[in-house]
Amino acid sequence: MGGVTSTVAARFAFFPPTPPSYGVIEKEQGEVVELTQVPRRSNVEARRLQTKKGNGIIAMYVRHPGAKLTLLYSHGNAADLGQMYELFVELSSHLGVNLMGYDYSGYGQSSGKPSEQNTYADIEAAYRCLIETYCACEEDIILYGQSVGSGPTCDMGSRLSRLRAVVLHSPIMSGLRVMYPVKHTYWFDIYKNIDKIPSIKCPVLVIHGTSDEVVDCSHGKQLWEHCKEKYEPLWIKGGNHCNLELYPEYIKHLKKFVAAIEKRPPPSLENIPKIDENSSLLDPPVVTSDRLSTDQKLEKPRASVDQRESKPRQSTDCRERDNGKPRSSTDRRDKSRKSVDASDKPRLSVDQSDKPRKSIDRFGGMMRSVCNIDCFKVTATGG
């Protein structure tokens, strides 16, 4: 069955840019590498990280002085670090956060081949690097997943209990649902985000364009509806799949979200078991009772990301906080709060007849619009 899943993924989920948009120069010792064909910046460092699947992936870390939070960014399809480089630098600067981006196995200068399971190993390697090399703490990390990157983001988000927040940018409910408006989850589907998102305990921001012809806006709306802790979503009127960064409301809303997350207290460390050095950094998956996917009924639940030990392990922390207060909802005033663009009518429901969508560019396809960095030049009166 795993072979069928891999075939489905290979057919429509992964389109690494060919040739890669950047190169690397390996250093004599250690993980640090030098990126070529991109501008050199003193606050940017690149590393080659080893995944548990045996692949070496390239990650870049953008440091911001005085940053309290760190963004772990999983990019979309048909993109690599060379194309995302300037966007990452600008996001770090305007949001006031440290940022780590990484290339999936088989993307850019990362070794291996792209697959669903490899992307899970890839994001874990990046997360481990943040914890072990850059001394980030789980409760100070925001996961950011764009398009196909929402898959590894939702998977990790459902396994870490003390994340600060999650951002889903043009996300997918699942791989199969991009092509067919199916009502149920099948065992051979990939990136079953719709089944995992109820297990994410932290605030979730969803951003989606209302004119997205690749991943219908209904994906973002359905995921938002199933969030446990909703934050005011952003439905960008007229926005497509690859151009949301061009809209002023994108960076304005994102800055508002980060500011709100910074103000709220971090998750409590009470009732957390002691760390076992041999166990995984990630918690075991949580299966919700209201949505059981077909594969969860037929197969054993997916094991912890590090299968060396079955015990769940608390994430490594560089410092402890003493705050026993329960976490409050970011948007408690109205659980069913309307979207920023409530006047825009939703696209076709996923519950309609099972006709395939005519997507020329699935998951971003063979081409991607490069963000105009000028969209981040906010005026003095801007948000």
Side-chain angles (χ1 to χ4, degrees), residues 248-263:
E249 54 264 44
Y250 165 80
I251 191 64
K252 182 177 181 180
H253 199 75
L254 201 53
K255 289 175 69 174
K256 176 183 174 183
F257 175 70
V258 171
I261 294 302
E262 283 185 342
K263 292 178 181 178

Side-chain angles (χ1 to χ4, degrees), residues 13 30 90 113 142 203 208 230 310 338 372:
E90 293 296 327
K113 295 182 179 180
I142 299 175
H208 215 121
K230 301 175 176 66
S310 60
K338 294 183 178 180
N372 181 357

Side-chain angles (χ1 to χ4, degrees), residues 22-60:
Y22 68 98
V24 293
I25 299 176
E26 306 284 350
K27 301 293 184 178
E28 293 183 1
Q29 296 179 349
E31 298 177 338
V32 178
V33 298
E34 180 181 337
L35 300 184
T36 63
Q37 303 175 49
V38 295
R40 286 189 179 183
R41 297 181 184 273
S42 60
N43 65 326
V44 177
E45 185 175 65
R47 292 175 176 270
R48 183 179 292 278
L49 310 176
Q50 294 300 313
T51 75
K52 68 173 188 176
K53 296 286 188 179
N55 297 323
I57 65 168
I58 303 298
M60 60 175 283

